Amino acid sequence: MSQTKVVAVGAGYFSQFHFDGWSRIEDVDFAAICDLDCDKAADAAKQFGVKNSYSDFAEMLDAEKPDAVDIITRPDSHLELTRLAVERGIAVICQKPLAPTFAQSKQLVQLSIDAQVPLMVHENFRFQPWYREIKRMLDDHVVGSRLHTISFRCRTGDGWAADAYLARQPYFRTMPRLLIFETGVHFIDTFRFLGGEIDGVYASLRKLNPDIAGEDAAIVMFDFADGGQALWDANRYNEPNVDDPRYT
Amino acid sequence: MSQTKVVAVGAGYFSQFHFDGWSRIEDVDFAAICDLDCDKAADAAKQFGVKNSYSDFAEMLDAEKPDAVDIITRPDSHLELTRLAVERGIAVICQKPLAPTFAQSKQLVQLSIDAQVPLMVHENFRFQPWYREIKRMLDDHVVGSRLHTISFRCRTGDGWAADAYLARQPYFRTMPRLLIFETGVHFIDTFRFLGGEIDGVYASLRKLNPDIAGEDAAIVMFDFADGGQALWDANRYNEPNVDDPRYT
């Protein structure tokens, strides 16, 4: 079988799920992992049976000459990493959110268009089986012939006090924009999957946890182009008024 | 026992619940019912064991000299009926919504202040036992020490197609403003009961049923003065895509 050669950059908390996925795809040769911290890259490579590890991204691309690279880093690094990949003709799959600003996101997309190299955003919620089932039921008109309103209520419960977001994603605490930028993008994409294009939005954001920089509660209304509406009611703050808050 | 003498004006669909209530209060002498339609007034009086019926409001007040009058008519009549009562020194309990506009509502309140006569708005939702229980649980901090978000979802399901709101409240079909004005006021009052003063609001209204004049779907966000939020997600439209839509 002809294999697609894939490398990855970023060995933080979420990368383990990507690495596990790539390792299990038979027609992928998952060849190398890069991280600025060379020990983290080496440890991950060892754990997932990956041959090589690097701490320099360009060096990895030049040495490995992969078909595709999986960018699993923070948003502010995506533009530069994508540039380095597409100028070498290497396809990119990139974590959400694409970039810190809309202007930078458009710039990133333009890079791949100019280089005629495939670019994919790693947006996974719409592939979760429950959303596929909702979509199937809507398409089959199981609950009626048109969508009036669809609501998601989001209570992750991991955002409490000074220990918010735990050891696993502590940088959430200092992100200037948190709830919509980091989490809400998943739901916005899922709403678009289920209800079509969005042509109106109203958002009300709050910061409930005084120990973080960004917002952790939001109510957002979306207008679909076809007249339906969506509602996202989200709160990541779990008030620490019990001895042992349940970790999620 | 000294009894309070009460009369009522308006013998439409909802008046039966008022008449039944007044009839069951021992220290009330429920003395007369008035309606522009004298037959309706007479029928209601007979049904609830009320001595007298009238088709002229001022005539009833002058003949009966009641302590209080219950105004159970449509909003656009409330100002004039209240004027006729308070200028005779008669206390008023008036159906919600108080008047068609905020300006007229303020005028109505001012009339009772100027006449130094009690005025009550007949707002009943906050007295329903489930809301009393929610209030008790909030006050006792059963679910935490502060209110972040409280949501009500409203699906009355009686607003379908040309038969919307049934024979019992058919005038709903032609009201230029329906869902917030007629129904939402109950929930707004209940939110204020549960969460305190509201100092911000955003509303998105839709008309789903093409056969009516006003709006029948809404999503409304409320900001409480203390930082909490409320959400009212309401839809009175029941699409007639089944043979026998269940009447509510």
Side-chain angles (χ1 to χ4, degrees):
Chain A
M1 182 190 286
S2 158
Q3 286 188 311
T4 302
K5 185 171 184 177
V6 173
V7 300
V9 59
Y13 172 73
F14 244 88
S15 67
Q16 59 185 308
F17 307 109
H18 294 235
F19 298 159
D20 179 55
W22 290 123
S23 304
R24 287 187 286 113
I25 303 175
E26 280 188 20
D27 49 2
V28 161
D29 168 24
F30 183 31
I33 293 171
C34 177
D35 195 285
L36 289 174
D37 179 336
C38 60
D39 290 339
K40 279 175 80 171
D43 286 350
K46 190 175 169 197
Q47 185 185 345
F48 290 93
V50 171
K51 281 192 291 281
N52 299 317
S53 64
Y54 298 82
S55 62
D56 184 287
F57 184 62
E59 186 191 326
M60 172 173 73
L61 298 183
D62 292 335
E64 298 287 340
K65 299 194 190 328
D67 299 302
V69 57
D70 185 8
I71 299 178
I72 324 170
T73 59
R74 297 189 204 176
D76 56 8
S77 64
H78 293 173
L79 180 61
E80 186 53 24
L81 294 173
T82 298
R83 186 193 312 278
L84 290 166
V86 300
E87 71 188 15
R88 287 165 171 82
I90 298 166
V92 168
I93 180 164
C94 182
Q95 266 289 43
K96 48 55 62 178
L98 206 48
T101 64
F102 185 55
Q104 217 180 95
S105 301
K106 287 199 294 187
Q107 209 182 331
L108 193 159
V109 171
Q110 194 58 49
L111 281 177
S112 79
I113 291 169
D114 292 345
Q116 296 190 281
V117 166
L119 167 71
M120 289 149 283
V121 187
H122 186 86
E123 181 47 71
N124 51 9
F125 271 33
R126 64 160 68 192
F127 298 104
Q128 292 171 344
W130 40 94
Y131 296 125
R132 308 308 274 195
E133 180 63 9
I134 292 172
K135 175 71 168 164
R136 186 196 64 76
M137 292 173 79
L138 288 172
D139 289 348
D140 290 352
H141 299 156
V142 171
V143 287
S145 53
R146 59 174 169 155
L147 181 67
H148 290 165
T149 313
I150 184 164
S151 302
F152 295 147
R153 184 161 292 144
C154 173
R155 297 289 186 272
T156 60
D158 57 353
W160 63 82
D163 198 29
Y165 310 109
L166 321 175
R168 68 189 192 195
Q169 287 166 311
Y171 54 93
F172 280 9
R173 296 170 203 160
T174 57
M175 285 174 74
R177 292 181 297 150
L178 175 59
L179 188 60
I180 302 286
F181 182 72
E182 205 290 324
T183 310
V185 291
H186 285 304
F187 292 95
I188 294 167
D189 182 68
T190 306
F191 279 133
R192 292 176 68 216
F193 171 60
L194 296 173
E197 276 308 313
I198 290 166
D199 66 4
V201 65
Y202 178 82
S204 171
L205 309 181
R206 286 179 290 166
K207 181 171 78 170
L208 296 176
N209 185 349
D211 294 318
I212 68 167
E215 85 284 8
D216 55 3
I219 298 181
V220 192
M221 252 182 236
F222 302 94
D223 297 314
F224 292 118
D226 74 355
Q229 283 192 323
L231 194 54
W232 190 56
D233 169 3
N235 180 347
R236 290 200 75 154
Y237 185 43
N238 185 15
E239 289 211 83
N241 57 357
V242 290
D243 289 338
D244 181 19
R246 185 176 60 85
Y247 279 42
T248 58
Chain B
M1 182 189 286
S2 159
Q3 285 188 310
T4 302
K5 184 171 184 179
V6 173
V7 299
V9 59
Y13 172 73
F14 243 89
S15 66
Q16 60 187 307
F17 307 110
H18 294 234
F19 298 159
D20 180 56
W22 290 123
S23 304
R24 288 189 284 114
I25 304 176
E26 282 187 22
D27 50 2
V28 161
D29 168 24
F30 183 32
I33 294 171
C34 177
D35 195 285
L36 289 174
D37 180 336
C38 60
D39 290 339
K40 279 174 80 171
D43 287 350
K46 191 177 169 196
Q47 186 185 346
F48 291 93
V50 172
K51 281 191 290 283
N52 300 319
S53 64
Y54 298 83
S55 62
D56 185 289
F57 184 62
E59 187 192 326
M60 172 173 73
L61 298 184
D62 292 335
E64 299 286 340
K65 300 194 189 328
D67 300 301
V69 57
D70 185 8
I71 299 178
I72 324 170
T73 59
R74 296 190 203 174
D76 56 8
S77 63
H78 292 173
L79 179 60
E80 187 52 25
L81 294 173
T82 298
R83 185 192 313 277
L84 290 167
V86 301
E87 71 187 16
R88 287 166 171 81
I90 298 166
V92 168
I93 180 163
C94 183
Q95 266 289 45
K96 48 55 65 179
L98 206 48
T101 65
F102 185 56
Q104 218 181 95
S105 301
K106 286 200 293 187
Q107 209 181 331
L108 195 159
V109 171
Q110 193 60 47
L111 281 177
S112 79
I113 292 170
D114 292 345
Q116 295 189 282
V117 166
L119 167 71
M120 290 149 280
V121 188
H122 186 85
E123 180 48 73
N124 52 10
F125 272 34
R126 64 161 67 194
F127 298 104
Q128 292 172 343
W130 40 94
Y131 296 125
R132 307 307 275 196
E133 179 63 8
I134 291 172
K135 175 71 169 166
R136 187 196 63 76
M137 292 173 79
L138 289 172
D139 289 347
D140 291 351
H141 298 157
V142 171
V143 288
S145 53
R146 60 174 168 155
L147 181 67
H148 290 165
T149 314
I150 183 163
S151 302
F152 296 145
R153 185 162 290 144
C154 174
R155 296 291 184 273
T156 59
D158 56 354
W160 63 84
D163 198 30
Y165 310 110
L166 321 176
R168 69 188 192 195
Q169 287 166 311
Y171 53 93
F172 280 10
R173 296 171 203 158
T174 57
M175 285 174 74
R177 292 181 296 149
L178 176 60
L179 190 60
I180 303 286
F181 182 71
E182 205 290 325
T183 309
V185 291
H186 285 304
F187 293 95
I188 294 167
D189 182 68
T190 306
F191 279 134
R192 292 176 67 217
F193 172 60
L194 297 173
E197 276 308 311
I198 290 166
D199 67 3
V201 64
Y202 178 83
S204 172
L205 309 181
R206 287 180 290 166
K207 179 170 76 168
L208 297 176
N209 185 349
D211 294 318
I212 67 167
E215 84 285 5
D216 55 4
I219 298 180
V220 192
M221 251 183 239
F222 301 95
D223 298 314
F224 291 119
D226 75 353
Q229 282 190 324
L231 194 54
W232 190 55
D233 169 3
N235 180 347
R236 291 199 76 154
Y237 185 43
N238 184 15
E239 289 212 83
N241 57 357
V242 290
D243 289 338
D244 181 20
R246 186 175 62 82
Y247 279 42
T248 58

